[in-house]
Amino acid sequence: MIIFSILFLLLSNAVTLRRDKSILYSRVAIIVLLYSSLITMASCYLTNLDRGIGLYGGLFHATSTTHIFHIFIFLISAIILQLTGFYPRKVWVSDYSWISKLCFYNFVYYRTKIVDKMGEQFKIIEYPLIILFIITGATFLVSTSDLVSIFLSIELQSYGLYLLSTLYRNSELATSGGLTYFLLGGLSSCFILLGTSLLYANSGTTNLDGLYIITSLSEIDTALDYNTNNILYWYKSHYINFALLILSVGFLFKVSAAPFHFWSPDVYDAIPTIVTTFVAIVAKISIFIFLLELVHYTSNTLFTFEFTWTSSLLVSSLLSLIVGTVLGLTQFRIKRLFAYSTISHVGFILLALSINSIESIQAFIFYLIQYSISNLNAFIILISIGYSLYYYINKSKEYIELQDKKNSPIQLISQLKGYFYINPFLALSLTITIFSFVGIPPLIGFFAKQMVLSAALDSGYVFLTLIAILTSVISAVYYLNIIKEIFFYKPFYKVSSVFNNIDFHANIIPRLHTSHKNNVIFKKLTFKLNNITLSSSLTITISILTLIIILFIFVPEYILNLANILALILFNP
């Protein structure tokens, strides 16, 4: 479905003349993703019959885990595409907002700046096309079962992300950030390619199932007498250990885990916020789900020495927790702060992943789902705050000197000062999401951290558990600083003098008589500045995501049962 849609979008992009039709392409891409999720849901019964199905000669496999996360990636991407699929603002007049009025009358106004129809994001027709390429790479990576398909999938996803980062051609910051991402992403791809080539050279197979069999046999081999003619007399188990260690370095680069995190804050801050939303979430989901099976089937063997490649994930987890917390304390730019927050969350995810018990895998899946939902909500709220401040002016020197304000209107934490007095609902939604990041009960983030820490304690990782608790407490400092700025200061925003005492005019036209030549005007209206509100696509999305975060405690069984079942399927032969 996605590949055919990509082909048709390529053809339509080639023949179109109007760049402002991008909004229609985004809507088509949303429909494609929703339909793809329905197809995936309908085929779930195939994978429930057994442990999964091999596809294309073993290059890919379909299991319950891959299907669930395909659907999750499709839905997350559809929500992100709403940011470019609908205009950010609308005019709301209570008398003409009833369903009966909307069905029979058309509300026409002629100031396009009110709804931001000429925004940069609505002039890029390639945007949904590149996102579909990235999603294709992500879904392939989740289902990959061969060394060749690993590299093809990760590169298909990565190339799309590089293009997406530099898509805003008029932005010097986005171009520099995209180039940084491209150069360091290319370096990480070198590690992945080196790791896969070493795995093939030392095991003689590119199929991951064959690799898992060899690691299991190598365990037997270490227990046997080397003088006997056993089947792996030529094989040394540390070969595969080092190869997987090199491979993991490349993937840790991609997910911005410490000590390979240094590109992440610069890139997140430089590229437009709409693009950051996609880069920060979807790329990580696919890589972590791929690592889930790789860790599970290669960490249960007993190598000839104590240090295994999964121990590197524990070291990276420890460093990510410390780096994401300590360096986040010094940030004053909000997207850089979110980048260090992400590094800290990656530390929790890697901790759950590397323990590899039923409880930890359940915590891993649950943490990944809640992290994606909370992060998505935080970025959408940040974008919505920028849209809501378009008729306000800020005369502070630091704001005037900001670059690329059209693509990323909210860049500094100080820009949120007193925002509660401008839009209390958005401010409260952002506060709930930040409290979830901190791990305040009864929000969904608390249960995710509690599950990871409980699994770590059960497995004897007391030191890492103490570090995780300590870093969670310290990270609350920079999260609470955002809340302090929002609630405890008066805003220094003022309504622009251009909009003072200005009247906007609109016409009410019966839909049956709507045409380009002869519009029958039913009524003329005058509306004020306070009739201009955020669009329903933004407000409904933020409301649903915030309710999931805050009301999880009342209906926890759906996500928890899902995580538990997927963990049990992985561990039960």
Side-chain angles (χ1 to χ4, degrees):
M1 179 66 193
I2 293 177
I3 291 172
F4 273 114
S5 305
I6 286 173
L7 293 175
F8 285 124
L9 275 176
L10 279 170
L11 290 172
S12 58
N13 278 356
V15 298
T16 189
L17 294 175
R18 293 183 59 180
R19 306 287 297 180
D20 59 343
K21 291 294 182 183
S22 171
I23 192 167
L24 299 179
Y25 288 103
S26 294
R27 292 175 183 178
V28 169
I30 291 171
I31 295 169
V32 167
L33 291 171
L34 294 177
Y35 189 64
S36 298
S37 62
L38 289 176
I39 294 173
T40 310
M41 201 177 297
S43 61
C44 275
Y45 74 94
L46 291 172
T47 58
N48 289 334
L49 300 177
D50 205 345
R51 292 194 46 84
I53 299 172
L55 305 171
Y56 306 114
L59 285 176
F60 300 98
H61 62 175
T63 65
S64 299
T65 304
T66 62
H67 271 58
I68 291 299
F69 279 94
H70 283 172
I71 295 170
F72 188 61
I73 288 172
F74 294 151
L75 295 178
I76 290 285
S77 303
I79 292 171
I80 295 173
L81 274 168
Q82 281 189 327
L83 299 172
T84 52
F86 300 94
Y87 294 125
R89 291 183 287 269
K90 66 178 181 180
V91 176
W92 187 83
V93 179
S94 57
D95 293 340
Y96 289 90
S97 296
W98 298 96
I99 295 176
S100 58
K101 299 283 187 181
L102 293 174
C103 291
F104 295 105
Y105 296 101
N106 198 17
F107 191 80
V108 181
Y109 45 90
Y110 301 102
R111 289 179 177 267
T112 57
K113 288 185 178 180
I114 291 173
V115 293
D116 195 24
K117 285 185 178 180
M118 305 309 291
E120 181 75 16
Q121 69 271 29
F122 302 121
K123 298 178 184 177
I124 306 174
I125 57 175
E126 299 88 359
Y127 183 82
L129 179 65
I130 292 172
I131 280 187
L132 288 182
F133 271 112
I134 298 169
I135 294 167
T136 306
T139 51
F140 284 166
L141 183 60
V142 166
S143 300
T144 191
S145 186
D146 195 277
L147 295 177
V148 176
S149 56
I150 287 172
F151 191 72
L152 292 176
S153 302
I154 193 67
E155 289 308 292
L156 178 59
Q157 174 181 287
S158 299
Y159 286 159
L161 291 170
Y162 305 150
L163 288 172
L164 198 65
S165 300
T166 55
L167 205 57
Y168 287 70
R169 298 167 189 165
N170 297 327
S171 170
E172 183 181 340
L173 281 177
T175 306
S176 65
L179 283 172
T180 304
Y181 192 16
F182 169 67
L183 292 172
L184 295 175
L187 178 62
S188 65
S189 297
C190 292
F191 280 102
I192 294 172
L193 191 58
L194 178 60
T196 53
S197 60
L198 287 175
L199 284 173
Y200 173 67
N202 295 317
S203 64
T205 179
T206 61
N207 193 278
L208 289 182
D209 289 337
L211 193 67
Y212 301 150
I213 292 170
I214 288 174
T215 56
S216 300
L217 290 175
S218 69
E219 177 186 350
I220 300 171
D221 181 61
T222 57
L224 293 174
D225 184 5
Y226 282 98
N227 295 323
T228 60
N229 293 323
N230 58 73
I231 55 175
L232 287 178
Y233 69 94
W234 52 270
Y235 184 77
K236 297 293 184 292
S237 57
H238 58 268
Y239 289 165
I240 196 170
N241 197 29
F242 283 125
L244 287 170
L245 181 63
I246 294 170
L247 187 71
S248 69
V249 169
F251 283 109
L252 290 175
F253 249 103
K254 299 287 186 185
V255 297
S256 68
F260 314 107
H261 65 282
F262 41 83
W263 61 269
S264 173
D266 294 331
V267 172
Y268 281 27
D269 193 40
I271 60 181
T273 309
I274 288 178
V275 178
T276 310
T277 308
F278 196 84
V279 172
I281 299 171
V282 175
K284 290 180 173 54
I285 297 173
S286 58
I287 292 173
F288 277 125
I289 296 304
F290 162 72
L291 286 175
L292 171 62
E293 188 170 293
L294 188 67
V295 169
H296 177 69
Y297 288 113
T298 58
S299 64
N300 289 330
T301 59
L302 297 173
F303 293 103
T304 53
F305 49 94
E306 293 181 0
F307 184 83
T308 65
W309 79 277
T310 51
S311 301
S312 65
L313 299 182
L314 282 173
V315 174
S316 180
S317 169
L318 174 64
L319 292 175
S320 297
L321 288 168
I322 295 171
V323 168
T325 301
V326 174
L327 295 184
L329 294 172
T330 62
Q331 302 305 314
F332 59 91
R333 298 180 68 87
I334 192 157
K335 283 196 291 181
R336 290 182 71 89
L337 181 64
F338 279 172
Y340 284 110
S341 166
T342 298
I343 293 167
S344 179
H345 288 297
V346 165
F348 275 95
I349 293 172
L350 286 174
L351 176 60
L353 178 65
S354 52
I355 293 170
N356 193 33
S357 64
I358 292 181
E359 294 81 6
S360 71
I361 297 304
Q362 182 182 357
F364 165 80
I365 293 170
F366 179 69
Y367 201 105
L368 190 60
I369 292 172
Q370 74 83 24
Y371 156 78
S372 303
I373 292 172
S374 300
N375 223 22
L376 178 63
N377 197 36
F379 276 109
I380 293 178
I381 291 171
L382 203 62
I383 292 166
S384 301
I385 289 173
Y387 287 141
S388 69
L389 293 174
Y390 83 103
Y391 53 79
Y392 288 89
I393 56 171
N394 186 341
K395 293 184 178 179
S396 63
K397 183 181 177 182
E398 57 182 8
Y399 177 74
I400 293 171
E401 293 176 351
L402 286 178
Q403 298 179 4
D404 210 20
K405 285 183 281 191
K406 288 185 178 179
N407 297 327
S408 299
I410 304 297
Q411 299 180 29
L412 305 173
I413 297 174
S414 59
Q415 286 179 262
L416 299 174
K417 189 172 288 185
Y419 186 75
F420 175 75
Y421 299 97
I422 296 173
N423 191 326
F425 295 106
L426 270 183
L428 286 171
S429 295
L430 182 58
T431 303
I432 290 167
T433 308
I434 289 172
F435 277 147
S436 180
F437 283 152
V438 177
I440 302 293
L443 304 177
I444 191 170
F446 164 76
F447 296 100
K449 288 189 176 183
Q450 183 262 338
M451 287 173 69
V452 173
L453 296 175
S454 175
L457 276 178
D458 289 344
S459 300
Y461 294 95
V462 179
F463 176 72
L464 272 173
T465 305
L466 290 174
I467 293 295
I469 294 171
L470 188 62
T471 52
S472 291
V473 173
I474 296 172
S475 66
V477 174
Y478 59 73
Y479 287 127
L480 293 175
N481 183 48
I482 300 175
I483 296 170
K484 183 186 75 171
E485 294 282 339
I486 294 173
F487 287 92
F488 293 95
Y489 294 100
K490 289 288 184 182
F492 45 63
Y493 288 100
K494 294 182 179 178
V495 177
S496 175
S497 58
V498 176
F499 295 102
N500 285 333
N501 302 319
I502 191 172
D503 291 331
F504 299 95
H505 302 284
N507 295 326
I508 306 297
I509 300 172
R511 288 188 181 274
L512 296 175
H513 297 92
T514 301
S515 67
H516 292 292
K517 294 182 179 179
N518 299 313
N519 285 337
V520 178
I521 298 175
F522 173 71
K523 187 176 180 180
K524 291 186 177 182
L525 276 182
T526 300
F527 60 92
K528 296 288 187 180
L529 197 61
N530 55 8
N531 292 112
I532 303 170
T533 61
L534 289 173
S535 67
S536 300
S537 63
L538 289 173
T539 53
I540 292 172
T541 302
I542 291 170
S543 301
I544 292 173
L545 293 175
T546 307
L547 287 174
I548 291 172
I549 292 170
I550 198 170
L551 299 180
F552 167 78
I553 189 172
F554 296 107
V555 280
E557 60 272 10
Y558 296 107
I559 303 179
L560 287 177
N561 288 346
L562 176 67
N564 194 23
I565 290 169
L566 293 179
L568 288 172
I569 288 173
L570 189 65
F571 275 85
N572 289 336

